[in-house]
């Protein structure tokens, strides 16, 4: 089995900043409530850029940093729940944009855990020798599916994306282990409908809920449990324990969820990288954006042991253990 390492990262956020104050002009809410319950102060909202455009900008930064050309990439996986189209996939659009003529390209959807799942799929395919250089992206334009009249959800989400270049490696560094699990029984707690089944042969049409609808308290419960269990699970059967971990990069959904996990695991909060204050929850974009920002801030050094951990719609959760 080949070892697989993250060669580079990149991220892109739309420039348009929407503050809590701005949102309080749309729905009955206020900055104090949002900051106290979530830790979020602002988020970036697209002024027309779709997911492929966001993903493309993040991907190009990662490719430049890796000094890898599009034609050298043989696998592209994009994690998103807000693709531009049903087809072509965002991954195929990226393939065209970067000239990755030799690549297999496809999207996956595991909502906010998408990037973790995409890393796991990419790494597994590379480990068995099928691919050598991959581009793994998590990107969203959640503002397309946010119900801007629902104060319990529209305060949470933002647009953006992040990417990384994966490479097979001879050394022991790289992705050490990954863990994932899903719980479809709880799917109804966080939904966003696609198109309705509508054709000339239907007698009774059933309309789906088109925008994000969430039972916040139920998702919160799942999030706190799954964050801690995913961190513990990814360390199982490895030579590492929680004490060896230098940095945890969690899905950026709510500061209270991260604080709860830190307390439960008996870790100081500064062991967790947090950027939700001015990014908000960007679903599949969240973890790669945080990974990129931590890298740019010099918080990631060679040899560090890092855990990426996420949870979200599906419901889904998972984690990745990396030796940088
Ligand atoms: O990526 C994964 C997806 N999602 C998550 O991780 C979200 C997980 N859940 C959460 O983060 C939290 O549940 C929320 C931030 C969504 C909500 O916080 P909460 O502390 O669970 O609040 P709540 O839903 O229990 O609502 C408390 C009160 C309610 O009023 P009453 O019924 O007590 O009078 C809400 O109507 O706060 C009210 N409320 C608001 N008030 C001002 C709900 N949203 C707002 C708002 N501004 N934006």
């Amino acid at each position: 089995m080949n070892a697989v390492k993250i060669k580079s990262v990149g991220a892109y956020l739309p420039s348009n900043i929407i503050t809590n104050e701005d949102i309080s002009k749309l729905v009955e809410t206020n900055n104090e409530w949002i900051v106290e319950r979530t830790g979020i102060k602002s988020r970036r909202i697209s002024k027309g850029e779709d997911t492929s455009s966001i993903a493309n900008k993040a991907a190009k930064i990662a490719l430049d940093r890796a000094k890898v050309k599009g034609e050298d990439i043989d696998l592209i996986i994009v994690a998103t729940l807000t693709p531009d189209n049903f087809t072509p996939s965002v991954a195929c659009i990226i393939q065209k944009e970067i000239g990755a003529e030799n690549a297999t390209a496809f999207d996956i959807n595991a909502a906010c855990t998408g990037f973790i799942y995409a890393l796991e799929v990419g790494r597994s395919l590379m480990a068995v020798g099928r691919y050598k250089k991959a581009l793994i992206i998590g990107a969203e334009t959640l503002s397309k599916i946010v119900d801007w009249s629902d104060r319990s959800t529209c305060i949470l989400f933002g647009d953006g994306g992040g990417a990384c270049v994966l490479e097979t490696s001879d050394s022991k560094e790289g992705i050490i282990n990954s863990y994932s699990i899903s719980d479809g029984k709880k799917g109804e707690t966080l939904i966003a409908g696609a198109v309705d089944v509508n054709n000339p042969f239907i007698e009774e049409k059933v309309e789906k809920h088109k925008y994000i609808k969430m039972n916040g308290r139920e998702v919160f419960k799942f999030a706190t449990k799954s964050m801690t269990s995913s961190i513990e699970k990814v360390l199982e059967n490895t030579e590492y324990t929680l004490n060896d971990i230098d940095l945890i990069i969690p899905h950026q959904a709510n500061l209270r969820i991260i604080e709860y996990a830190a307390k439960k695991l008996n870790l100081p909060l500064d062991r967790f990288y947090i950027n939700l204050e001015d990014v908000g929850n960007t679903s599949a974009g969240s973890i790669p954006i945080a990974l990129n920002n931590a890298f740019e801030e010099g918080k990631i050094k060679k040899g560090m042991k890092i855990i990426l951990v996420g949870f979200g719609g599906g419901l889904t959760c998972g984690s990745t253990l990396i030796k940088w």
Side-chain angles (χ1 to χ4, degrees):
M1 298 280 266
N2 295 318
V4 175
K5 70 171 190 181
I6 296 182
K7 189 155 166 70
S8 68
V9 289
Y12 172 78
L13 295 168
S15 58
N16 181 35
I17 298 170
I18 297 297
T19 63
N20 292 345
E21 186 66 32
D22 295 327
I23 294 193
S24 72
K25 290 175 190 146
L26 301 173
V27 289
E28 186 65 40
T29 190
N30 56 73
N31 181 52
E32 291 68 36
W33 193 96
I34 303 172
V35 173
E36 195 191 304
R37 301 288 178 122
T38 71
I40 298 165
K41 291 185 178 162
S42 67
R43 68 290 289 144
R44 306 297 185 92
I45 298 295
S46 164
K47 277 196 158 178
E49 279 178 292
D50 212 335
T51 302
S52 66
S53 164
I54 289 171
N56 188 36
K57 288 175 177 140
K60 284 192 169 150
I61 295 170
L63 287 170
D64 282 352
R65 284 181 179 159
K67 298 188 174 57
V68 165
K69 292 199 194 82
E71 67 210 49
D72 300 328
I73 294 289
D74 52 11
L75 175 67
I76 304 172
I77 308 178
V78 177
T80 186
L81 73 123
T82 51
D84 304 28
N85 320 293
F86 287 133
T87 191
S89 64
V90 177
C92 281
I93 298 172
I94 301 303
Q95 175 183 28
K96 181 182 72 177
E97 292 294 328
I98 64 169
E101 291 149 17
N102 306 307
T104 301
F106 59 91
D107 292 357
I108 64 161
N109 177 353
C112 306
T113 325
F115 185 74
I116 300 280
Y117 278 43
L119 269 185
E120 188 173 19
V121 173
R123 176 212 177 203
S124 306
L125 291 169
M126 294 169 82
V128 295
R130 178 71 179 83
Y131 302 102
K132 290 198 164 50
K133 272 192 179 47
L135 187 56
I136 309 292
I137 305 172
E140 305 281 9
T141 318
L142 290 170
S143 58
K144 296 192 287 194
I145 61 162
V146 160
D147 177 351
W148 288 101
S149 65
D150 175 9
R151 69 175 181 172
S152 69
T153 54
C154 74
I155 56 159
L156 301 171
F157 299 105
D159 299 332
C164 70
V165 172
L166 294 188
E167 196 175 69
T168 48
S169 131
D170 298 330
S171 75
K172 274 187 137 190
E173 287 155 13
I175 300 176
I176 310 280
N177 198 18
S178 52
Y179 165 78
S180 66
I181 188 100
S182 314
D183 184 359
K185 287 198 301 299
K186 296 205 183 97
E188 295 291 308
T189 53
L190 175 44
I191 53 170
V195 293
D196 298 328
V197 180
N198 186 9
N199 62 52
F201 312 102
I202 285 189
E203 276 147 31
E204 210 176 317
K205 271 195 268 173
V206 181
E207 274 194 30
K208 288 193 182 117
H209 194 280
K210 292 287 182 302
Y211 300 101
I212 296 176
K213 194 169 154 218
M214 179 173 71
N215 180 333
R217 285 185 197 179
E218 281 305 312
V219 178
F220 195 97
K221 269 193 244 162
F222 175 79
T224 48
K225 269 199 206 132
S226 64
M227 275 264 287
T228 48
S229 65
S230 297
I231 290 170
E232 286 162 356
K233 287 276 185 192
V234 81
L235 288 164
E236 277 178 14
N237 304 318
T238 72
E239 60 185 284
Y240 301 108
T241 68
L242 202 48
N243 289 332
D244 299 314
I245 302 306
D246 301 292
L247 189 65
I248 297 174
I249 302 186
H251 171 42
Q252 308 284 318
N254 187 323
L255 181 59
R256 287 190 294 139
I257 294 172
I258 301 171
E259 285 172 344
Y260 183 96
K263 204 167 160 201
K264 210 70 201 313
L265 294 163
N266 210 9
L267 289 175
L269 193 59
D270 66 10
R271 199 72 57 84
F272 290 75
Y273 181 79
I274 301 166
N275 70 348
L276 55 80
E277 186 177 305
D278 49 15
V279 179
N281 179 347
T282 52
S283 192
S286 157
I287 291 172
I289 293 169
L291 179 64
N292 173 75
N293 290 10
F295 172 80
E296 286 183 352
E297 290 165 24
K299 293 199 165 126
I300 297 181
K301 305 245 157 47
K302 196 167 164 50
M304 275 175 74
K305 271 78 71 189
I306 298 167
I307 291 178
L308 313 179
V309 59
F311 57 85
L315 297 177
T316 56
C317 63
S319 45
T320 315
L321 172 62
I322 301 163
K323 185 169 177 213
W324 199 263

